[in-house]
Amino acid sequence: MRSQVILSLLSTYFSTSRLSFLSGPSSKLSSGLKEVFSDDNQLPVNKSIAIVGAGSAGLAMLKTLTELPDETKQSLNFILFEEREDVGGIWLPDINIVHPPQLPETPLYPRLRTNTPVPTMTYPNVTFPPGTPLFPSHVHILAYLKRYASRFDLYDHIAFNHKVTEAKWLGTPYAGQWNLTVLNSNGTNETKIVDHLVVATGNNHIPRSPSWPGQDSWLRQSTDREILHSIYYKGPERYTNKTVLVVGGGASGRDASSQIYGVAQKVYVSLHHPSSLEIPPEIEIRPDISHFTNNTIVFVDKSQVKVDSVLLATGYQMRKPFLEAGDVMAIHPKTRFRQSNEDDRDDDITASSPTLTTNFKYIFPLHKHILSLCASHPPTALSFIGLPSGIANCPSDYAQGLFVTHVILYPNILPSRDEMLAELELQEQTIREHGLNPYEVGHRLLNGTSSEYQDDLVDFLRDKGVISPYTPKFVEQWRRDANYPYLRRGWIHIEDLGEADQWLEGVETEAEWADLMNRVDAWQHDWENENNISFVPDPLQFSYVDDY
């Protein structure tokens, strides 16, 4: 068996078709194999895997499975369930017009453009086609994901219009299977039994809509007043000639307010967290809302405003309804995972809890934001792809998918559950040392740690001998250098001059995209210096989350 494993791994990890970061010099194979492969790394037999969600996370997980050696894939059965009609996740438009309380299938809106340069958003070694703008519309992102799924034959493994409505664990802390209830395209329920469940459903589906004293009375005073979450935002037109309060200063709040102030009479933005970022002078910043009166909104500093509409750019609840339906995840808005050296609280969750917990912002306990550590099932039974924020999705999703695939194949490479819980405790303590509450910031990575996070996942697999030991770091240097402070407004400047096509000419490879970003950033820097323009941080570039 051992020799078969080695041959299978060789055929994949050292072939010319393998992605570069998993390949290595063939001259080192014979000596390296003796050091990195052991009899403990035995492949599973007849394992089944279900992935839920065909956005960037689900596609990444599926890709890591499909690129396994044929011999390995023959021992696995895997399928991806997607409740919509195509791949793309939130980038797939919803053609239906819905109104509260019905939720749209995506928060996508027609004017949405990326606030992150697309070279940094790519799966490893899969660039956007030549001519793609540095900060394109959502149409380009959807097309990229569709091309990715087609190029690597991922469509063959996806069941569209299949919605997982319940997942129940049938087994013990050591072994068992998942009983999935799936609503199929014919509107009938099917039962699927699988060994491993991978949740890749995204994080922007169920709005987080705070409420304040007096808001119902305020709404009743006029039929023209509204409080609407940004998941329903489709453009600024509905706010023409109105006075608007946008609540929240994250990606959605900044994007919406910057669009709305061009058509509204007046725009205010209520920020939960202080911000040093400058915004257009037409927009007034206010603190948290205290309460509503019949005619005004009162803030915590006692100031008041009169508005027609309130747009809640307040983010989304961290929930997975099909796990809740199967009693795999419990909702406890005020709870936390009790640290080993802390005093007990009545609402604490401990290591013996049979379920995962969400407080709407954070799912816990998880190993590396991925593996479920609840006491009712083995750590590889339930995995999550795509929870971290403050990170570019596609490369991170792929690193997580690579990690999940290989710990499913080789579960004995993982530390014990107790050791992983101790690592989680240390992770949360590090967040506290930075002045943050892990149960408030959720799965947001600390600034400057996104590359390290991805590298750690792949380095772990390399150190355990289940991928090539002769690989460079997962995160390429050009991605590490990509946080250019002038880049986004430099590209907008270039587009305003009508020169985008000239800048994009001949740009195809990752190295050429990286060079383009460097040149645009340097050009804008020089132009601002020559025109004596004081530097202002870009409030939208590299903003991944709604900060509320």
Side-chain angles (χ1 to χ4, degrees), residues 53-83:
S56 68
L59 295 180
M61 179 65 202
L62 188 55
K63 171 68 159 51
T64 63
L65 289 169
T66 60
E67 65 189 1
L68 289 169
D70 289 340
E71 180 183 340
T72 305
K73 283 191 292 187
Q74 289 172 4
S75 67
L76 301 175
N77 294 304
F78 49 88
I79 187 171
L80 188 154
F81 294 112
E82 168 54 51
E83 65 178 299

Side-chain angles (χ1 to χ4, degrees), residues 423-443:
E423 184 179 327
L424 174 61
E425 184 175 337
L426 181 61
Q427 171 189 309
E428 292 185 353
Q429 182 57 36
T430 300
I431 294 173
R432 292 187 179 93
E433 290 171 357
H434 283 77
L436 302 171
N437 181 347
Y439 296 86
E440 288 293 319
V441 299
H443 299 282

Side-chain angles (χ1 to χ4, degrees), residues 254 257 261 267-269 271 275-286 536-537 539:
R254 294 183 187 278
S257 60
Y261 90 83
V267 177
Y268 302 91
V269 176
L271 293 180
S275 174
S276 60
L277 296 173
E278 294 189 19
I279 64 169
E282 295 87 350
I283 298 177
E284 285 191 26
I285 298 297
R286 296 298 170 109
V536 177

Side-chain angles (χ1 to χ4, degrees), residues 94 96-112 204-210 226-239 252-253 256 259-260 309-317 546:
D94 183 359
N96 301 305
I97 303 299
V98 302
H99 304 280
Q102 184 180 356
L103 294 176
E105 294 180 328
T106 171
L108 188 70
Y109 50 92
R111 293 195 185 191
L112 179 64
N204 300 317
H205 298 293
I206 303 176
R208 185 164 67 240
S209 299
E226 67 174 8
I227 300 176
L228 198 66
H229 191 274
S230 61
I231 194 173
Y232 298 100
Y233 178 77
K234 298 303 178 186
E237 294 78 12
R238 72 182 294 131
Y239 301 106
S252 297
Q259 294 177 15
I260 291 171
S309 300
V310 178
L311 182 65
L312 302 177
T314 47
Y316 296 84
Q317 297 179 13
D546 286 320

Side-chain angles (χ1 to χ4, degrees), residues 446-460:
L446 292 173
N447 289 340
T449 65
S450 64
S451 294
E452 180 184 79
Y453 171 76
Q454 298 169 75
D455 281 342
D456 284 349
L457 294 175
V458 180
D459 287 349
F460 173 82

Side-chain angles (χ1 to χ4, degrees), residues 205-245:
H205 298 293
I206 303 176
R208 185 164 67 240
S209 299
S211 60
W212 296 271
Q215 71 175 41
D216 291 340
S217 179
W218 176 82
L219 284 168
R220 286 195 297 269
Q221 304 308 309
S222 172
T223 57
D224 292 332
R225 292 177 180 176
E226 67 174 8
I227 300 176
L228 198 66
H229 191 274
S230 61
I231 194 173
Y232 298 100
Y233 178 77
K234 298 303 178 186
E237 294 78 12
R238 72 182 294 131
Y239 301 106
T240 300
N241 297 324
K242 291 187 176 183
T243 302
V244 183
L245 172 65

